[in-house]
Amino acid sequence: MLVFLRSSLFAVAFYTSSVLHVLTALALTPLGGGPLRRIVLSWSATHRLLCRWILGQKVRVEGAVPQGQYFYVFKHESMFETIDLLQLVERPVIVAKQELLDIPGWGKLGQRFGMIGIRRATGAAALRHLQRQTKEALAGGRPICLFPEGTRVPHGERPPLKAGFAAMYQLLGLPVVPVAVDSGRVSPRQSFLKRPGTVTYRIGPVIPPGLPRAQAEALAHAAINALNPPLPGEEAGGDGHSTPA
């Protein structure tokens, strides 16, 4: 019952906050991108605070997050990391499904902030669109974030990476920062109930550009799944340096 009450209070508080942030951002649109960036960061920070003080969800970061123009790839288990990554990466361009950018009001703001929408069903056309948009992001010097599994997956599952990862890896020519996250343990996908606990990010070794596709995919896949239960024959993941966030 307590979990249900906490989850209900969180939903009311978070979606009310989101509406207020969107309305404020729309009102300040004529002032340019600076106010929008501050509002987006405020929205993300508010989300983390609500998770901490209503849901009882803390955040732990294992390893240092390098800042600069990198290609960040995140494990994707819940909505949590799609919002919270703004607390880890400075001014990211985020690649996401186009349906998010089709949301009235919010979608336009997402595009202005720098989100890139992908309609996966369009195949080659989606990759061409991705190429055009990422070239613009590169010119602006901003880092790029991708959820290479393409959708949220239950904690413990390790689906293969979508083709978009390899295409972007070759196109961008940037070092890859893989990030494992276990948010699905406390905020399972497609579940209203969110439980207290600690969401851990583990920053994997940087993957250099220019590797063969299969090698880059294997390294990224292993790193973003580092917080999953070990497969038969695997040893549990190594120790990482932990910093509170």
Side-chain angles (χ1 to χ4, degrees):
M1 177 60 76
L2 182 57
V3 169
F4 177 78
L5 291 175
R6 281 183 159 190
S7 299
S8 299
L9 180 57
F10 171 80
V12 171
F14 172 66
Y15 288 109
T16 299
S17 166
S18 297
V19 169
L20 293 175
H21 277 90
V22 167
L23 292 176
T24 302
L26 290 171
L28 297 180
T29 294
L31 300 182
L36 174 60
R37 287 192 292 272
R38 288 191 287 273
I39 291 168
V40 170
L41 286 175
S42 170
W43 174 63
S44 175
T46 300
H47 170 262
R48 181 179 279 198
L49 285 172
L50 294 175
C51 288
R52 174 66 182 91
W53 297 112
I54 296 178
L55 298 176
Q57 295 179 351
K58 301 178 182 179
V59 174
R60 179 175 64 211
V61 180
E62 297 182 353
V65 183
Q67 298 297 329
Q69 194 169 43
Y70 289 90
F71 180 25
Y72 299 84
V73 293
F74 283 76
K75 182 71 179 177
H76 195 14
E77 294 190 352
S78 78
M79 184 179 73
F80 182 91
E81 58 270 9
T82 63
I83 302 170
D84 194 71
L85 71 82
L86 293 162
Q87 301 298 301
L88 301 180
V89 181
E90 295 179 3
R91 296 182 62 241
V93 171
I94 303 171
V95 181
K97 59 184 180 181
Q98 180 62 39
E99 289 81 356
L100 292 175
L101 299 182
D102 292 337
I103 299 173
W106 192 95
K108 290 294 184 184
L109 294 174
Q111 287 179 316
R112 291 186 184 125
F113 181 77
M115 290 184 68
I116 299 174
I118 294 281
R119 293 194 191 278
R120 291 186 294 269
T122 58
L127 288 177
R128 288 194 295 270
H129 171 73
L130 182 63
Q131 289 174 343
R132 290 193 299 270
Q133 296 294 311
T134 50
K135 284 181 180 178
E136 293 179 11
L138 281 175
R142 296 175 65 179
I144 296 175
C145 294
L146 176 73
F147 298 101
E149 293 161 315
T151 189
R152 290 172 290 177
V153 299
H155 182 67
E157 291 192 7
R158 307 176 182 218
L161 307 185
K162 298 293 185 182
F165 167 75
M168 291 188 66
Y169 174 73
Q170 295 171 344
L171 171 70
L172 296 173
L174 294 176
V176 177
V177 179
V179 183
V181 60
D182 61 356
S183 58
R185 294 187 307 102
V186 294
S187 295
R189 68 169 196 159
Q190 299 177 346
S191 175
F192 176 75
L193 299 179
K194 303 178 189 301
R195 296 174 172 79
T198 299
V199 176
T200 299
Y201 293 100
R202 181 174 293 173
I203 315 304
V206 175
I207 301 170
L211 297 179
R213 171 176 175 166
Q215 183 180 2
E217 286 185 332
L219 290 171
H221 187 266
I224 68 170
N225 286 289
L227 293 173
N228 279 328
L231 294 172
E234 284 185 338
E235 295 182 357
D239 294 332
H241 173 65
S242 298
T243 58

